[in-house]
Amino acid sequence: MNPPDAPVAERRYAATAAHRRVTLASSVLGAVIVALDGTVLTIAQPTLQRDLDASFARVQWTSTGYLIAVAGLLVFAGRLGDRYGHQRVFALGILGFGAASAGIGLAPGIGWVIALRVVQGVFGALLQPATLGMLRAAYPPDRLGMPIALRTSAIGLAAAAGPLLGGALVSHFGWRSVFFLNVLPALVMGVLALTVRAPADAERGTDRPAATGGLDVPGACLLTVALVALVHTLVAVPDAGWTTATMAGLAVVAAAGAAFVRRERRAASPLVPSDVLGSATIGAALGILVAASAAMLGTLFVASYHLQGPLGLDPLQTSLRALPGGVTMVLGAPVAAVLLRRLGPRRTTVAGTLVLTLGVLLLARLDEASTAVPIGLGFLLLGAGFATVMVTATAVVVRQASAASAGVAGGLQQTAMNIGPTLGIAVAATLMTVTPGTAVGLPLITLAAISAVGTLLALRLPGHKNT
């Protein structure tokens, strides 16, 4: 016979399973909405510029304003999730993101679009750390690999499909349609997040506050200043170069960053708790994410110019040449989760960074006579290596942080994934201006060196598969 409390246990198990399914769906779709938003906007910007009679500089601020808002608020948003519940913060973020998207679709002028993109960035900052914080609260640490892998695969699929979807929408329905695309999924996921509650034994970190103490607003302000100055400087470098203004921006980054670290070490309730700020393992994993994403996006930037320049390919042909990278990113993320369980973080991440570096070096050999085979192979290695690094390094960041600090850890992970691409494109664009002719060797060899730094940092990750 079953014990008297068996039905209660069964109901609790069913509730936990249902909550995990909703959590995984929310995490995946939230990340996909953000990824799609960025890729389809790139396709829509030329049409947006013509329809609103805007300058190129103002149109660029539809991306820059969003990026600055997101980068500056991610960590503080993660702390809000730790204190008030990741599910609630996610619901607020995704509903606000959808509302801002609808507003942009109805905007009468470029000024409104820029302002609403900044608002959208604020809500994007709320939802992104929560997508990882919810996973940390819903799954045991040793079972986080596959949910994170599924999230990574979905991001890769969105990045690959975004240009095609954006092109089709803009061609048939205009640029406003790419923003209306977000509204219904955001509404559905927001309502689900508000109505499907965690069972009592899984609520901590999701619906009930896990973090205690204040929110450290001064620390948040210092970090925001440092990150905004860093992103703004890196975005400005490709056009302006290393001028007095950009060097002053780096000085602001250094001063605000130093003040932030000093503040965190002395604050009674720091924005970044000591178990995160003082963790060498989390620091190494974040460094790996910055290096890998810088190498990946910087390489895509250089390769795109080369394929559409010397090789004379159109955007569609360029996308097809790069397609193996998207395919291996989608398919490789679940494989990386399996390797993580069997080999542990250190060996899996080292392998991923080496494959990524090899892909960059292979593309560095491109010239006017390059055929589709070496190009496709290079992108294939890029996608496989990057997917592996994203899954393993993200899992390390989320696992190593306590449940009470999961939102901050997620915010730091998302910050790394915002800064890395901006850094990689800035480095690539700067080196392309000093590269004679159309050679890609110097920019890509430099990006390969950045990727190799990730390999060195990977040696500092835990070696045991259960760590």
Side-chain angles (χ1 to χ4, degrees), residues 5 30 34 57 117 122 127 169 197 212 247-248 252 258 279 292 303 317 354 415 433 439 464 467:
D5 61 346
V34 172
R117 280 288 287 170
V122 172
L127 78 89
L169 286 173
R197 314 301 279 178
T212 58
M247 295 303 293
V252 172
S279 172
Q317 291 172 321
L354 288 176
T415 301
T433 63
H464 196 276
T467 303

Side-chain angles (χ1 to χ4, degrees), residues 277-423:
L277 185 65
S279 172
T281 300
I282 292 178
L286 293 173
I288 292 164
L289 289 170
V290 170
S293 58
M296 176 71 171
L297 273 296
T299 300
L300 291 178
F301 178 81
V302 174
S304 295
Y305 269 91
H306 181 78
L307 294 178
Q308 296 181 52
L311 295 188
L313 303 180
D314 61 31
L316 178 59
Q317 291 172 321
T318 299
S319 299
L320 292 175
R321 292 291 193 279
L323 187 59
V327 172
T328 53
M329 185 171 174
V330 173
L331 300 179
V335 175
V338 174
L339 293 176
L340 178 62
R341 289 180 65 90
R342 294 183 177 180
L343 303 178
R346 184 187 303 156
R347 285 186 287 179
T348 306
T349 310
V350 166
T353 55
L354 288 176
V355 170
L356 175 62
T357 304
L358 182 60
V360 178
L361 290 174
L362 185 59
L363 291 173
R365 298 170 58 86
L366 293 181
D367 55 28
E368 288 81 353
S370 297
T371 62
V373 173
I375 296 172
L377 179 59
F379 281 113
L380 184 148
L381 294 174
L382 277 183
F386 187 64
T388 303
V389 172
M390 268 200 68
V391 171
T392 53
T394 300
V396 168
V397 172
V398 177
R399 282 184 188 179
Q400 291 291 317
S402 65
S405 304
V408 169
L412 290 170
Q413 188 270 352
Q414 292 292 312
T415 301
M417 295 303 298
N418 277 273
I419 291 175
T422 311
L423 173 63

Side-chain angles (χ1 to χ4, degrees), residues 40 43-44 47-48 51 105 165-181:
V40 299
I43 301 298
T47 305
L48 183 154
D51 286 357
L165 179 60
L169 286 173
V170 173
S171 298
H172 291 89
F173 305 106
W175 66 268
R176 297 178 188 275
S177 62
V178 303
F179 293 102
F180 290 129
L181 178 68

Side-chain angles (χ1 to χ4, degrees), residues 417-438:
M417 295 303 298
N418 277 273
I419 291 175
T422 311
L423 173 63
I425 292 173
V427 169
T430 301
L431 292 176
M432 287 173 71
T433 63
V434 301
T435 301
T438 57

